[in-house]
Structure formats: C-alpha cells, structure tokens
Amino acid sequence: MAASPVFGKGRNERVFAVVRRIPKGRVATYGQVARLAGLGPHAQQVGYALHALPDNTTVPWHRVVNAKGLVSPRSGGDSAIEQRIRLASEGVLVSRAGTIDLDEHRWAVDAPR
DNA sequence: AAACTGACTAATA
DNA sequence: CTATTAGCCAGTT
C-alpha cells in the first residue's frame, strides 16, 4: 500500500479531529484549523465541513470563529447567538457586537510570547 | 448522476 | 473601514 494511509474517509473527519483538540475556554479561527488539518490556506473547507456536521456531534464547533474574531452570522440562523452563549459559558468573553479578543482566547499551540 | 449551495480567508483598490 | 476576486469540498436536491 503505500498509498496515503489517510484517516477517515474525507477531509471532514480531519477537520473534526482538530476542532475536538481545541481546549476549553479557547477559540480557534477557521484558517488555523484548516492549517492544522492539513488543508493549507483553504479555510473555507473548514466552514463547509462544519456545515455538514450533525447535531449529535461531539465536536465543539462553537469554539471555531472567523479570522476577525467574529462569530459567523451563518445564513439567517440564530445559531450564531447560541454559539456566543456557549462561549460565554466556557469563560470566553464575547463583546456585545460578537467580537472575541483573539489576543486573549486564540488557541495557540505554542504561544511564545 | 449533475448542479447548486454553503459556517471563510487573504490580497488588492 | 468596504468591495471585489480567486480557491476548495461535501451534502442535498
């Protein structure tokens, strides 16, 4: 075999694996997850993957936000509000406008500095 | 089986 | 600050 013994069946599984590794009280951006998942600069794929996520998933999708530190408004969905509430419940402070202090909550594998 | 839609980022103007 | 352009995959119809 020698082919690429990749995990999972698609890229989705890979994204979920990374999101699941996000520690509580911390948030990661789509671009960050995409990079860790090995998708490269293709952050949109992460968004699409979460879109296909079932409701019974154990993945903390609410810990994923966009690069602006803003909670994705999604399309006409109130789920964005739910996400905000979940984050606040974990100790993540969210501004009234929906902005999060990435400097404070950005999930850094190695934050030197 | 083909086409459409959808949770994004980054650079440029 | 906003607007525009280019790139990707999977689920649903």
Side-chain angles (χ1 to χ4, degrees), chain A residues 7 12-28 32-33 35-38 50 57-64 90 105-110:
Chain A
F7 275 110
N12 262 357
E13 295 285 328
R14 243 204 204 146
V15 172
F16 305 147
V18 174
V19 175
R20 217 179 292 210
R21 287 171 82 137
I22 300 173
K24 185 177 105 179
R26 220 116 239 168
V27 295
Q32 179 124 22
V33 174
R35 212 170 268 290
L36 292 169
L50 294 172
T57 185
T58 60
V59 178
W61 58 271
H62 56 263
R63 285 185 193 140
V64 183
E90 296 198 348
H105 299 292
R106 173 95 103 149
W107 176 41
V109 180
D110 181 30

Side-chain angles (χ1 to χ4, degrees), chain A residues 65-88:
Chain A
V65 296
N66 63 23
K68 299 163 220 150
L70 221 174
V71 177
S72 295
R74 283 189 199 65
S75 43
D78 317 4
S79 310
I81 307 297
E82 178 88 33
Q83 184 170 1
R84 233 170 95 202
I85 295 167
R86 288 187 182 212
L87 288 171

